[in-house]
Amino acid sequence: MVAIGAISALVATPVFAAKFNQAKTNSISSISGYLNQKVAWNSCGTDMYCGAVKVPEDWNNLKGKSISLAVIYHRASIAKPLGSVIFNPGGPGASGFDFVRDSLTAVATDKLRANYNFVGYDPRGVQNSLPKIRCLSAKAMDQMLYGDSGYALGSAKDLAYTKAQEKTFADACAKNTGSLLGHVDTISSAKDLDVIRAVMGDAKLNYLGYSYGTLLGNTYAALFPTKVGRMVLDGAIDPTVSNDDQSLNQLKGFDLALNDYLGYCLGKSDCPFTGTVSDARAKLSDFLRGLETNPIKSTDFNRTVTVWGADQGISMALYSGSYWPYLTQALASAFKGDGTTLLRLADVYNDRDANGTYSSNQTEAFVATTCLDGASSWKMSDMIAQNKRMLAASSVFGRYWQFGGLSCEYWHYKPVKPLASYAAKGSPTIVVVGTTGDPATPYTQAVSLAHNVLANGYLITWKGEGHTAYGRSNSCVNNAVDNFFMQGTLASSEPTC
């Protein structure tokens, strides 16, 4: 089996979707109709209100079917809110609705949430929005994410097995989702954002996007530069970088985060490594190579821990320094033959619950969106060339980031045409936040987005570890972002925090 790359994980609980009714015909047939629609808001928690916002399935056919986006907002605590901040946690495929409903205090700062109505939503096809992207059964998802072909990694039989898996996945997505699957691209989602902005009563879009949410926000700014209000993009993606280079940069980011983790671990008494960081890398690499032919067991329902489950578990823990102690426990046990904790980390990564079900459709939505946004080449010569770059980038992980183009080879819809420019000329200043030790969206991308891509970009740097910064780093970052949202002010020189 071959890898298709890494995605961030968020735990979500799909309880709201049943309240929506998919519109089979469209009673709205114009942009103004969508922008001026009336939404029935229902109380769904303390100072929280939920509703369904209609958008066209196909933005090129406004008279066609409409779909429903699940939207939730937390009302600001001040008497006269400054407006709304629309939030996207990343993915693609993460549920902003569930995040605001279940983990509001983990988003942004108390000050921001007190002064603005804070809006979470599920992009088209995601989780609580209808229709949602549906593909495989939980059992089939387990095999795709955690299973092993039983053949030598990268061999002809291994590749044939992977191709069959990817075809089964693509066919199931097309069959179980329907025509929406051809319209879950980022450009369509960015147009949806403008509808939510209008529904919330804001003349300008105030927006907070993390990770993939930075690409979504950047796309909105490129489409509607004069409608941008105060926009903050944290954990940035550079939209001008090719898919292959994005994967390579992310792999380098995880490799750097691994070195940082190992340096931390070697200073602790419970660390399962000894010697230097180089020694620890060699031990971990040998461990993963061993799993290729000899998986270990987990005490959770006697599940098998393959190299794919181990790779995902390690990747999950590298997203934040707060997970590092768990990674130490996981590896210490795994080296002794017990992969339980390592597999539990992988389950968090994949939104898999202990009962074997998946609490979100993030994996399906991730593949569906990325295949439409621009698939990597699945021509064998191109993949072999990319494989060499990945192996050179990481002696530990590169072996498991091979043949990434296969994930979209059998997709039923062609990629959409990207925007000609992401500069967002005519927009006000857009704030980009970058973390020097970010594994998933390396700092270099934040620098490029702020200084090279955006016509009016401003960079805030956090010298820290983990994925994204605002709301979890320090007062320097938080105050800079809050001052921007609250007063529209920024320091004369870009801060390094």
Side-chain angles (χ1 to χ4, degrees):
M1 187 173 178
V2 295
I4 60 172
I7 59 174
S8 59
L10 295 171
V11 177
T13 309
V15 300
F16 196 69
K19 297 183 180 180
F20 292 112
N21 292 313
Q22 178 184 347
K24 297 187 182 301
T25 58
N26 191 1
S27 59
I28 305 174
S29 59
S30 67
I31 291 178
S32 62
Y34 280 107
L35 295 177
N36 295 311
Q37 67 183 283
K38 302 299 181 182
V39 175
W41 296 105
N42 300 306
S43 177
C44 53
T46 304
D47 294 325
M48 288 194 184
Y49 301 88
C50 299
V53 174
K54 284 187 176 183
V55 295
E57 179 181 270
D58 181 357
W59 272 100
N60 293 318
N61 181 18
L62 297 180
K63 295 183 179 180
K65 290 188 294 184
S66 64
I67 59 177
S68 297
L69 304 183
V71 181
I72 185 172
Y73 75 91
H74 177 265
R75 194 190 184 285
S77 57
I78 64 172
K80 294 183 178 180
L82 299 178
S84 300
V85 171
I86 300 177
F87 158 72
N88 182 283
S95 171
F97 182 99
D98 285 350
F99 209 116
V100 168
R101 183 195 61 201
D102 300 333
S103 307
L104 180 65
T105 57
V107 185
T109 63
D110 293 340
K111 181 184 292 185
L112 183 72
R113 297 190 305 273
N115 284 273
Y116 280 93
N117 295 325
F118 202 84
V119 183
Y121 79 104
D122 285 355
R124 49 180 53 220
V126 172
Q127 193 63 349
N128 303 296
S129 292
L130 287 179
K132 68 185 290 185
I133 299 167
R134 300 177 184 274
C135 300
L136 299 174
S137 67
K139 183 177 180 180
M141 281 294 292
D142 273 356
Q143 181 60 32
M144 189 181 85
L145 293 173
Y146 300 95
D148 194 283
S149 71
Y151 304 110
L153 188 69
S155 66
K157 289 184 177 180
D158 183 52
L159 290 177
Y161 168 88
T162 300
K163 287 191 173 192
Q165 287 269 304
E166 297 295 350
K167 186 177 187 305
T168 296
F169 179 77
D171 289 348
C173 292
K175 177 182 178 181
N176 296 325
T177 303
S179 59
L180 174 67
L181 200 64
H183 303 287
V184 292
D185 57 283
T186 298
I187 292 175
S188 293
S189 290
K191 293 177 180 179
D192 296 345
L193 264 179
D194 200 50
V195 176
I196 300 175
R197 170 202 61 77
V199 164
M200 296 306 301
D202 292 323
K204 305 279 187 178
L205 176 74
N206 302 310
Y207 179 81
L208 173 62
Y210 291 103
S211 195
Y212 163 78
T214 68
L215 176 62
L216 181 60
N218 186 183
T219 303
Y220 178 91
L223 291 170
F224 308 103
T226 61
K227 291 185 180 182
V228 174
R230 293 168 186 172
M231 178 174 285
V232 175
L233 308 177
D234 187 357
I237 292 173
D238 180 349
T240 67
V241 173
S242 70
N243 287 338
D244 283 349
D245 285 345
Q246 289 280 10
S247 295
L248 181 66
N249 291 338
Q250 189 176 61
L251 176 58
K252 290 178 178 178
F254 275 99
D255 198 74
L256 175 63
L258 175 64
N259 283 349
D260 292 339
Y261 159 71
L262 292 174
Y264 152 88
C265 181
L266 288 168
K268 303 293 183 180
S269 59
D270 61 345
C271 183
F273 300 100
T274 59
T276 65
V277 168
S278 180
D279 294 332
R281 287 176 62 91
K283 181 176 180 177
L284 182 59
S285 182
D286 288 344
F287 167 71
L288 292 174
R289 290 289 289 266
L291 290 180
E292 292 178 21
T293 53
N294 294 293
I296 57 178
K297 290 293 185 180
S298 164
T299 58
D300 288 347
F301 303 101
N302 199 33
R303 294 168 65 196
T304 298
V305 185
T306 66
V307 68
W308 306 110
D311 177 66
Q312 293 163 30
I314 295 168
S315 296
M316 172 62 199
L318 294 178
Y319 268 90
S320 171
S322 62
Y323 298 142
W324 288 359
Y326 299 108
L327 181 56
T328 296
Q329 297 173 24
L331 291 174
S333 297
F335 290 163
K336 297 175 182 177
D338 181 0
T340 303
T341 305
L342 202 54
L343 198 58
R344 287 176 181 175
L345 287 169
D347 287 346
V348 173
Y349 188 85
N350 292 315
D351 280 359
R352 185 188 189 277
D353 293 331
N355 63 7
T357 62
Y358 286 80
S359 58
S360 80
N361 70 334
Q362 181 169 315
T363 298
E364 295 96 323
F366 175 87
V367 176
T369 300
T370 53
C371 285
L372 287 185
D373 279 356
S376 294
S377 171
W378 51 81
K379 185 179 178 181
M380 185 57 65
S381 59
D382 292 338
M383 289 193 294
I384 290 174
Q386 176 70 354
N387 289 350
K388 291 179 180 178
R389 299 173 74 204
M390 304 301 259
L391 289 169
S394 176
S395 60
V396 177
F397 296 131
R399 186 172 171 82
Y400 310 107
W401 289 53
Q402 305 284 292
F403 300 100
L406 295 182
S407 60
C408 297
E409 181 177 7
Y410 299 102
W411 207 246
H412 287 241
Y413 296 91
K414 294 181 179 179
V416 301
K417 185 179 179 180
L419 298 180
S421 171
Y422 287 86
K425 292 181 180 179
S427 77
T429 300
I430 295 173
V431 171
V432 179
V433 183
T435 301
T436 57
D438 191 325
T441 51
Y443 176 68
T444 53
Q445 295 206 64
V447 175
S448 180
L449 180 60
H451 293 165
N452 302 325
V453 177
L454 291 171
N456 298 296
Y458 180 96
L459 179 65
I460 298 172
T461 298
W462 179 41
K463 297 179 73 173
E465 305 296 336
H467 188 36
T468 73
Y470 175 56
R472 74 169 196 92
S473 53
N474 58 26
S475 60
C476 173
V477 173
N478 291 348
N479 290 340
V481 172
D482 283 347
N483 289 340
F484 176 67
F485 271 124
M486 251 41 93
Q487 291 92 32
T489 58
L490 293 166
S492 57
S493 59
E494 295 179 332
T496 297
C497 300

